[in-house]
């Protein structure tokens, strides 16, 4: 199985059995991400250097408007897409096996976690995993310490209040907050 075949397999939500060859491939790909994030996080880099390192990590070019304040953490990196003019603040963790798609001109706050993996609820098979993608639209503001769970889509222009745990889709141009996140009001446009 190639890297791209594995990423497609995971993105499609197929079962990854703990300890299987597919699971071992996952661990191998994680080592690549750990090396690159260590390079990103270990010393100061100019904005251009950070953009280059992040492009190498995700395997896709990033525009000149991309910005990030490290540290940044991921267990894969290769299944993340980041739009134009997006900014990622310090301490964020992206678990992107299922795919993370972030639109243009988004603001991702301090210590945000985006998860795409769920483990089996059955204690006998707890090491088994399935993945679901997370999609974040354009011009979304994700506040500090937000957690976005597998399978969530956040609509364009939405705001997620600090500390929220997003378990369900967020409609465009709405503000959500809380645990679990619920609609607070519409964005004032």
């Amino acid at each position: 199985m190639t890297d791209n075949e594995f990423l497609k397999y995971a993105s499609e939500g197929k079962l990854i059995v703990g300890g299987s060859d597919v699971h071992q491939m996952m661990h191998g790909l994680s080592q690549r991400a750990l090396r690159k994030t260590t390079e990103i996080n270990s010393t100061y880099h100019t904005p251009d250097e950070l953009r280059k390192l992040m492009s190498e990590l995700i395997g896709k070019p990033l525009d000149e408007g991309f910005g990030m304040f490290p540290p940044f953490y991921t267990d894969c990196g290769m299944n993340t897409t980041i739009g134009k003019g997006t900014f990622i603040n310090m301490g964020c963790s992206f678990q992107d096996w299922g795919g993370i798609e972030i639109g243009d001109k988004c603001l991702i706050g301090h210590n945000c976690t985006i998860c795409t993996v769920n483990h089996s609820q059955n204690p006998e098979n707890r090491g088994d995993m399935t993945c679901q993608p997370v999609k974040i639209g354009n011009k979304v503001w994700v506040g500090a310490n937000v957690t976005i769970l597998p399978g969530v889509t956040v609509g364009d222009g939405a705001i997620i209040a600090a500390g929220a745990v997003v378990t369900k889709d967020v409609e465009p141009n709405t503000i959500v907050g809380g645990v679990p996140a619920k609609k607070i009001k519409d964005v004032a446009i």
Side-chain angles (χ1 to χ4, degrees), residues 31-158:
Q31 296 308 303
R32 178 196 162 277
L34 291 170
R35 281 190 300 275
K36 189 54 70 176
T37 55
T38 297
E39 186 178 356
I40 289 168
N41 298 332
S42 65
T43 190
Y44 172 78
H45 300 284
T46 67
D48 288 341
E49 291 168 339
L50 270 176
R51 183 172 57 255
K52 180 180 180 291
L53 290 167
M54 278 297 288
S55 291
E56 292 170 4
L57 175 65
I58 68 173
K60 300 167 196 79
L62 291 165
D63 79 302
E64 290 183 10
F66 169 79
M68 183 175 76
F69 290 165
F72 175 80
Y73 306 97
T74 185
D75 53 2
C76 177
M78 296 169 44
N79 220 3
T80 294
T81 302
I82 301 170
K84 296 177 182 176
T86 287
F87 177 77
I88 300 171
N89 222 321
M90 293 178 183
C92 291
S93 299
F94 290 8
Q95 185 190 47
D96 67 328
W97 295 109
I100 295 173
E101 183 180 320
I102 301 172
D104 296 340
K105 298 182 180 178
C106 291
L107 301 173
I108 311 297
H110 284 84
N111 300 316
C112 287
T113 301
I114 302 175
C115 304
T116 66
V117 178
N118 268 322
H119 285 273
S120 173
Q121 292 183 13
N122 181 340
E124 300 302 317
N125 301 57
R126 192 59 45 84
D128 295 353
M129 295 165 272
T130 55
C131 304
Q132 293 178 287
V134 169
K135 295 181 181 180
I136 298 173
N138 298 316
K139 300 179 182 176
V140 172
W141 175 16
V142 180
N145 297 303
V146 165
T147 299
I148 301 174
L149 296 182
V152 168
T153 296
V154 180
D156 293 347

